């Protein structure tokens, strides 16, 4: 069943609701929320939730599933990360009844959804023109959260301390176990990111006992865990060429790309300052000095680390010379 939670009004007089699809299992079990498009232009998660809800097995769950494919309706309508006043909904939690719109929506979500749940998965993508390797971000120092992150069966887990004001932080404060899935880029569907997201949610629901465990062991290698990631920024303004794609392993001093002016003069070579895996990169080859170009997750013992994403058909980098 789909419930439309009354949220607010457009200034056109039309009402805005927060649509929640609820599946109640016949037997008790965990209460899991799925949220997408808290950043209104991050749409992979909208398609992930649609596909999860269409799976016939969802009619046989234990516990309760609350699915919210579009949390930031204003942003979704305007292809924007933000709310109309440029506030970031994911920096507005836990919210308040009397604050700005972002704060009120956050409050509604906390009281009507998070308060009913024991677990949550929040779905995100990179920003516009920035592509993220599918990855789970969670507080991996918590054993139960680590177990769910590993169950997602994704190549890289980032041990990320929750940022104040995010849905994840506010929900963890309320005692929930929460994963954040990051994959692909804003305003684009990426098939690999969507498939891995659907598979990951099903795997987590199996781990939680909401779905029957598979007879055979779920496919997928052990994930790599990184406790630190770092954006490498443009050393000068110019046009970027790069052979790098997300999922690549890089050593210290590996060449990540070259920035030149339009005449091919003023060459600046960008080298990795650390050893790790490229978990995010810009797809826009036009860089101002200081722009974030490559996100690298530090991984120790890179040579021995498995590379389970090699069969994932990672998208090609459009900036290859
Ligand atoms: Zn986001």
């Amino acid at each position: 069943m789909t419930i439309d939670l009354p949220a607010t009004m457009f200034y056109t007089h039309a009402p805005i609701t927060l649509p929640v699809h609820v599946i109640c299992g016949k037997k008790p079990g965990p209460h899991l929320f799925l949220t997408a498009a808290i950043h209104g232009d991050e749409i992979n998660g909208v398609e992930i939730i649609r596909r999860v809800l269409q799976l016939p097995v969802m009619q046989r769950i234990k516990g309760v599933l609350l699915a919210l494919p579009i949390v930031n309706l204003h942003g979704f309508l305007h292809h924007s990360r933000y709310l109309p006043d440029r506030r970031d909904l994911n920096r507005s939690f836990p919210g308040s009844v009397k604050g700005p719109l972002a704060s009120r929506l956050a409050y509604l979500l906390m009281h009507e959804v998070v308060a009913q749940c024991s677990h949550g998965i929040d779905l995100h993508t990179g920003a516009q023109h920035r592509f993220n390797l599918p990855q789970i971000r969670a507080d991996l120092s918590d054993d139960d959260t680590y177990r769910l992150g590993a169950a997602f069966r994704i190549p890289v887990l980032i041990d990320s301390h929750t940022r104040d004001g995010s849905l994840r932080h506010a929900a963890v404060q309320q005692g929930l176990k929460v994963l954040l899935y990051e994959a692909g880029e804003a305003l684009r569907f990426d098939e690999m990111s969507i498939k891995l997201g659907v598979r990951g949610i099903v795997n987590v629901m199996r781990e939680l006992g909401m779905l029957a465990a598979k007879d055979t062991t779920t496919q997928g290698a052990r994930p790599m865990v990184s406790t630190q990631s770092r954006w490498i920024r443009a050393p000068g303004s110019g046009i970027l060429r790069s052979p790098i794609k997300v999922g690549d392993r890089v050593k210290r001093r590996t060449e990540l790309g070259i920035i030149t002016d339009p005449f091919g003069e003023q060459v600046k070579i960008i080298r990795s300052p650390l050893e790790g895996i490229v978990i995010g990169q810009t797809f826009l080859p036009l860089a101002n000095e200081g722009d974030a170009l490559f996100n690298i997750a530090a991984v120790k013992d890179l040579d021995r680390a498995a590379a389970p994403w090699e069969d994932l058909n990672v998208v090609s980098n459009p900036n290859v010379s």
Side-chain angles (χ1 to χ4, degrees):
M1 89 183 132
T2 300
I3 298 167
D4 284 301
L5 296 173
T8 177
M9 300 284 285
F10 284 113
Y11 44 66
T12 61
H13 188 71
I16 297 182
T17 62
L18 187 60
V20 187
H21 191 84
V22 183
I23 301 177
C24 289
K26 291 202 174 77
K27 292 185 178 165
H31 289 203
L32 172 69
F33 75 73
L34 304 176
T35 44
I38 276 193
H39 292 135
D41 58 352
E42 300 182 1
I43 61 174
N44 270 339
V46 180
E47 175 64 5
I48 290 171
I49 290 180
R50 188 191 70 80
R51 291 192 196 180
V52 166
L53 293 177
Q54 292 299 315
L55 295 173
V57 73
M58 289 298 144
Q59 301 312 316
R60 301 194 295 274
I61 66 167
K62 287 182 185 162
V64 179
L65 182 71
L66 290 91
L68 293 87
I70 306 160
V71 175
N72 177 355
L73 275 107
H74 293 85
F76 190 74
L77 284 169
H78 293 105
H79 308 176
S80 164
R81 173 185 179 90
Y82 303 104
L83 284 161
D85 62 357
R86 303 291 293 166
R87 277 181 205 267
D88 187 327
L89 180 53
N90 211 28
R91 303 285 178 274
S92 304
F93 284 86
S96 70
V97 229
K98 290 192 171 170
L101 180 58
S103 199
R104 293 173 192 223
L105 288 173
Y107 185 87
L108 179 71
L109 196 64
M110 288 302 290
H111 282 257
E112 299 296 335
V113 177
V114 172
Q116 322 299 328
C117 289
S118 54
H119 297 79
I121 304 177
D122 189 22
L123 305 170
H124 287 255
T125 76
Q128 293 185 19
H129 309 300
R130 297 233 189 96
F131 190 94
N132 279 341
L133 180 76
Q135 60 196 262
I136 288 289
R137 291 174 173 263
D139 177 7
L140 303 177
S141 60
D142 177 74
D143 289 345
D144 289 341
T145 308
Y146 174 82
R147 193 168 49 80
L148 296 178
F152 205 98
R153 302 269 174 187
I154 210 77
V156 184
L157 305 183
I158 310 285
D159 188 13
S160 148
H161 296 278
T162 51
R163 198 180 293 209
D164 212 15
S166 69
L167 167 62
R168 179 161 69 100
H169 178 75
V172 168
Q173 293 288 99
Q174 296 295 315
L176 279 74
K177 307 294 179 189
V178 184
L179 301 179
L180 188 146
Y181 176 64
E182 277 274 0
E185 67 176 310
L187 296 177
R188 300 274 182 273
F189 278 167
D190 175 62
E191 189 59 24
M192 177 192 68
S193 302
I194 292 167
K195 277 187 177 152
L196 289 178
V198 173
R199 187 183 80 174
I201 289 168
V202 168
N203 286 341
V204 168
M205 290 178 75
R206 285 197 181 117
E207 181 69 26
L208 286 171
M210 296 178 76
L211 293 172
K214 249 186 168 180
D215 293 340
T216 52
T217 320
T218 316
Q219 294 294 309
R222 272 173 62 86
M224 272 183 218
V225 174
S226 174
T227 53
Q228 186 200 348
S229 63
R230 176 169 162 190
W231 275 100
I232 313 305
R233 297 184 176 277
S237 298
I239 297 168
L240 171 71
R241 284 175 293 133
S242 166
I244 295 291
K245 55 185 190 307
V246 290
D248 281 355
R249 303 143 183 251
V250 293
K251 301 267 191 188
R252 207 177 285 268
R253 306 278 306 150
T254 296
E255 188 175 310
L256 299 174
I258 297 171
I259 285 189
T260 64
D261 66 12
F263 308 105
E265 298 163 358
Q266 305 282 339
V267 176
K268 284 198 167 75
I269 297 174
I270 307 156
R271 294 187 187 279
S272 177
L274 72 164
E275 182 173 290
I277 305 290
V278 178
I279 57 165
Q281 72 178 137
T282 182
F283 275 1
L284 183 69
L286 312 177
N288 286 306
E289 184 171 350
D291 281 354
L293 303 180
F294 305 96
N295 193 5
I296 299 179
V299 175
K300 286 183 190 140
D301 220 357
L302 198 58
D303 290 332
R304 284 175 46 201
W309 54 82
E310 275 164 10
D311 62 340
L312 297 182
N313 194 20
V314 171
V315 293
S316 59
N317 172 2
N319 297 342
V320 175
S321 52

